[in-house]
Amino acid sequence: MKNNNQLATAISVISIGLSSQAWSANGELFGIDYSSSGFIRLEAAAKTVGEENPFNQRGNVFNGVAIDRDGGLNAGTLLGLNLPFSVGLPLTDTATRNGEQANNDFNFTQVRLENTVQLRFSDNWSATAKIRGIFDAAQYDEFDPNSVNSNAAGFLYGEPNYFEYDDYETGGEQNRLEVAGDNYMVDFPSLYIDYQNGPILVRAGNQQIAWGQALFFRVMDVANGLDLRRHLILDFASEEYADERISSPAVRVSYQLNASWELDMFAQAFQPTIYANPNTPYNVIPSQFTVHDRYSDANEKINSGFRLKGNIGDFGLQFMYTNRYNPDGVIRWTASNVNRDAPGIPGSGLILSQTPLEIDPTGVWSAEEWFTYAGMARLDGVEGLNKLITDFPASQLLLARPVNGIDAAKEELDLFFILTGGAGSVITGNGMGGLRGHIEREYKREDVFGTGFSYIFSGEPGSWLDQLILNFEVSFTPDRVFTSPDLGQDYLVEDEYISALVLEKYQRFSREFPATYFVFQWMHRTESDLFGRHLSGMGGTSNNAPTGVDGWDGLVLALQQPFPGLVWRADLSVLYDTRGGIFVQPALKWKPSGNWNVEAFYTYIDDDISSDANVNIMQTFDWAEEFGLRVAYQF
């Protein structure tokens, strides 16, 4: 558990310049019109299944499980290698990963305070400032590195840190307008000034830029990355990416060309997507990896783009172009630079430092674990091993050689785990166990072209066709760079098309109830899944290399039904991966008074309703079935 004295620190920072008594109203101050609004909200998500996040140390599916390891060599072959250390026989053993499995009741326990102040200086000039503070109570079974004798290198690879950024060696903030500690953050999601004069609007400062009509899916919404530290993508689904879309300093100019057409342009500082840190509740990068983020190589770069939007008759049209660094980044093996000897092998640390490997019990312990997690991460376990060897020649000084096929890969991996000091090692009998993999995250520039059209149907009043809105969007990115499933130094480069069809409709069924809002969507992606992972990594398991799939398709159905008096509202959001995974989130919103707001929602996830879980996206977070509750007081 974290020291809750940090809550006082966080609230002190949030409160600078803010007072609900002074600002929770409209009025005039020193000749400047102002308005202010905000809320304080308790947010929690209780687990409804017994599974833990398998990508965390305390959720690792091999914790406490005895695994037979077979190095695949006999005594005569081994003696012919002239190894510089004494070896016991046989080259087989049983290893039990020494992590302790967690037993959490909650995935999410946070307190949030937000306040938005809007100022109007004149008819032309105005400003907006939103400050947000979040404190995580850290009421979880947290990972303790001392409990497994871990000494893993890197700022974030000790005790869990919920909000600080990792540049591997030191912490801090990746977001420019943020102050963060290990379980609190304070930032300005909006901090900008507007100038409007007739048809022109200029906005300068920290802001989000959201383009396109697709809901839940992002086709033309490419300007900003996502901040996934707080609740991954498992928030109240009807809010889409409002809390996840990360702001960035930008200048945005909108010009109303005539009554029908508008030109929107921007230039912004590059800001990458922020993933949940290792061993926090929602991290999705397996914690056996150490990530070296190369953000500093791109943090002075500028993204830019424009959108032309208008109408021709009954049709709405839009055209978009963006030149950007892809905020999701791409990943490959990198040298660990960690000089730590394997037990019983003097000098091996210097060799290992020139490979992507680090000796530590928080790493992988067996070939079975290696291939299981390769499949879960949509990686190729066989070719990933080969690239670790061929791209880093120092690996061959440790007797590693490229292999053909999964059986040979398993033998070589188990041999390597045994010889470098795993539990039951033939060298020492009680080594440290585990090899951590080091990877680097880089960012590549790309051009994104997009277009779309919309149409509003007319029909018999009250019919399903009347006022039905159709939107279609498609984007094209030539030579998009993807992480290769083998984590090799050569990334995959492919042209990618992403399209989405959206149908929206308000339909009234009775005089007593307000109209029901319906949304149906279909997305198709030619090269990657919804999370941007290349489809060639799909289909891997502990016994098979990935088979890959052609194209990714997702279907969404969502509805909102307000009740009479607008005190209650029911929501339903469904995402279906056509290869057999489903996400369902029913929700109920209650607003008993003008100041209080309560939202309750249940998230159900199934990753294998019709096919192998390793070919759809739901496996990535199927462990996160939960009941969410948000209670807010607005001021």
Side-chain angles (χ1 to χ4, degrees), residues 507-515 561 564:
Q507 183 70 27
R508 191 156 191 167
F509 296 98
S510 73
R511 293 180 178 273
E512 291 76 19
F513 278 77
Q561 176 61 68

Side-chain angles (χ1 to χ4, degrees), residues 34 57 64 78 88 128 149 153 156 183 193 210-211 323 326 341 369 417 440 444 471 488 519 525 542 559 578 606:
Y34 71 86
Q57 289 293 324
L78 180 64
T128 298
N149 299 316
L156 291 180
N183 66 331
I193 190 165
W211 285 347
N323 178 265
N326 188 325
D341 286 348
E369 182 181 353
F417 291 126
E440 63 180 354
K444 301 298 180 180
N471 286 291
V519 180
R525 304 171 70 100
S542 61
L559 62 87
T578 58
D606 192 336

Side-chain angles (χ1 to χ4, degrees), residues 47 51-63 97 99-102 104 106-107 140-143 160 162 276-289 362-363 369 373 376 436 620 623:
K47 293 172 61 66
E51 297 177 72
E52 294 290 331
N53 181 351
F55 301 112
N56 285 345
Q57 289 293 324
R58 294 203 61 186
N60 189 299
V61 297
F62 290 91
N63 284 344
R97 203 174 196 279
E100 181 183 358
Q101 203 73 0
N104 282 299
F106 289 89
N107 289 329
Y140 321 114
D141 284 350
E142 292 186 314
F143 170 65
Y162 296 86
N277 284 337
N279 297 314
T280 58
Y282 296 102
N283 82 275
V284 293
I285 298 176
S287 60
Q288 301 98 314
F289 282 117
T362 57
E369 182 181 353
Y373 274 87
M376 291 164 60
R436 291 189 63 82
T620 302
W623 43 268

Side-chain angles (χ1 to χ4, degrees), residues 421-467:
S425 164
V426 297
I427 303 168
T428 63
N430 55 359
M432 296 174 61
L435 287 168
R436 291 189 63 82
H438 283 245
I439 53 179
E440 63 180 354
R441 181 185 179 201
E442 297 185 317
Y443 305 92
K444 301 298 180 180
R445 188 171 285 281
E446 63 186 20
D447 296 304
V448 185
F449 303 86
T451 188
F453 71 87
S454 62
Y455 184 78
I456 302 177
F457 291 89
S458 297
E460 187 71 23
S463 69
W464 279 95
L465 188 62
D466 186 43
Q467 300 302 300

